[in-house]
Amino acid sequence: MKEILKERGYKATPARLAILEIFIKSKAPLAAENVYKELKRSKKNKDINEATVYRTLSLFEEGKVLTKIDFRKGSVFFELNKKHHHHITCFKCDTVEEFESTAIEKVLGGIVRNSSKFINIKEHSLELFGLCKNCVA
Amino acid sequence: MKEILKERGYKATPARLAILEIFIKSKAPLAAENVYKELKRSKKNKDINEATVYRTLSLFEEGKVLTKIDFRKGSVFFELNKKHHHHITCFKCDTVEEFESTAIEKVLGGIVRNSSKFINIKEHSLELFGLCKNCVA
DNA sequence: TTCTAAATGCAAATGACTTGCAAGTGGATT
DNA sequence: AATCCACTTGCAAGTCATTTGCATTTAGAA
C-alpha cells in the first residue's frame, strides 16, 4: 500500500493507509460516510477527521487510485480504480453487480460517428437499476 | 399548458404555468437555479420563491411532465419528458446533444441475460462527455 | 535530530435542496 | 358572483453532503 502512495508522491500517513485498506478490503463501492464510519469502528483510526476522509478521497481520485461513481443516491461513491466496467444496482437492497461489455463500447463509437457536434467521447457513465433476484422474490 | 396541469389534477397557478413555459421554450436541460433566474428576469414572475421552484420541479417529475437528468454537475437538471434518449455533454461549454439508440437498448438486454443476480433492468442512465467540435478548435 | 512542506483537526462556511408553518388562492360549489 | 377549503406559496430555518480557513502537527528528506 505504501508503494501505491509513494508512486504518486503522496505521504504515507495513517489516514491514507487506513482509507486505502478499507477500499482494498471492501467488496462494494463506498461513500465518504461509509469510510468514515468504518474508521470510527476501529480502535487505531477512530480519531480520523471527516474532512480528512473527504480530502483523501479526492486526492485518491485525482491520483487514479479510486474512481467516482454516481448512483444517484445523494452522495458520491468510490471504488478502487480498475478495468473499465459498469454497475447494476438493486433499487431495494443496493446490491451492486459489476459487468463489462465490449458491445457497449462499440455502440458508443457508432453514436459519435453520427453526431453533428461531437467527434469523440472522452468519458461516459452508464448505471443500470433494477430489482435483484432476492428482492423480486 | 393548462391542459397538461389539469390532466394531472394540478392547480394551474401562475408559478406552475411560468415554469412549464420556461421548459417548453428551452432548448437545453435546466437546473432549479436556471429556472429561478429565468423567473427573476421576467417582470410578471420575478417574485416566485425558490422553494416553489423546487416544489414545482418535483411535482412535475412525479407527474411525468419533466424528467431528471444527472450530468454530475452538483445540481440536478430537468427537461420535458419525451421519448427516451441520452445526452452527450461538452466538458467545456456544456452544450448538450441528444441522441437515441436502439442498439444500446439491445445491448442492455443482453447484459441482463448474462447477469447472475438480476433478471431485468427497470431504469438506466447513460451520459456521455466529450469536447464538442467548437471547443476542440 | 532538525526542518519544512505537506497533512490534519476543528469549526465555520457553502450549496443545493427541504420543511414547518402561517397566510394566500384556485376553482368547485352554492 | 360570493363562499369555502384543500391545495399552494412565501419565508425562514433546517438538513445533508461536502469544502475551506487557519492554527497545529507530522512525514520524511536533509
Side-chain angles (χ1 to χ4, degrees), chain A residues 13 15-16 47 49 52 55:
Chain A
T13 67
R16 290 172 181 176
D47 292 326
N49 195 275
T52 300
R55 283 190 277 233

Side-chain angles (χ1 to χ4, degrees), chain A residues 96-109:
Chain A
V96 175
E97 185 178 24
E98 299 181 359
F99 65 91
E100 296 171 24
S101 165
T102 54
I104 285 177
E105 318 299 323
K106 261 179 223 155
V107 169
L108 295 183

Side-chain angles (χ1 to χ4, degrees), chain B residues 10-12 14 51 54-55 74-76:
Chain B
Y10 300 158
K11 287 188 183 175
Y54 281 102
R55 283 189 278 231
S75 50
V76 175

